Amino acid sequence: MSVFQCPICGELMEALTNYHCKSRHQMSRKDLVHTHGMPKYVSPAMRRDVQQWIRSSQVINRLDFEVAQAAVRSQVKRNG
């Protein structure tokens, strides 16, 4: 996934919009590009330890889902 980086504040976004330019920098997108240059097109990379942390800190893991599904199935069998 690649994104654009604002040449002034460095914020990453899908596109440098006129809304961002006016609300953050009080100038139109055209003026910002003319004054500070085009936004950089970047591909953010995550280090391996960050990727592992994201995987390990997920709110719901597969076992949680399977336990919930088993509970629902047992309720359906009792009531059905």
Side-chain angles (χ1 to χ4, degrees):
M1 178 180 124
S2 296
V3 293
F4 291 98
Q5 184 176 28
C6 176
I8 297 176
C9 66
E11 183 175 335
L12 298 176
M13 58 195 85
E14 288 183 33
L16 183 64
T17 63
N18 207 40
Y19 176 80
H20 170 83
C21 297
K22 287 189 180 224
S23 64
R24 295 285 178 103
H25 310 297
Q26 294 72 45
M27 62 175 68
S28 70
R29 182 186 185 283
K30 184 178 179 181
D31 292 339
L32 186 139
V33 169
H34 179 72
T35 308
H36 299 282
M38 290 296 290
K40 290 183 197 172
Y41 190 64
V42 296
S43 294
M46 282 191 269
R47 294 189 335 242
R48 180 179 295 271
D49 58 332
V50 173
Q51 290 174 340
Q52 289 173 344
W53 176 81
I54 289 170
R55 273 190 233 110
S56 68
S57 66
Q58 288 180 343
V59 175
I60 298 175
N61 63 34
R62 185 165 181 83
L63 181 61
D64 295 332
F65 179 77
E66 289 171 355
V67 168
Q69 289 296 307
V72 169
R73 281 193 292 275
S74 69
Q75 289 292 335
V76 169
K77 285 179 185 176
R78 278 192 224 157
N79 296 332

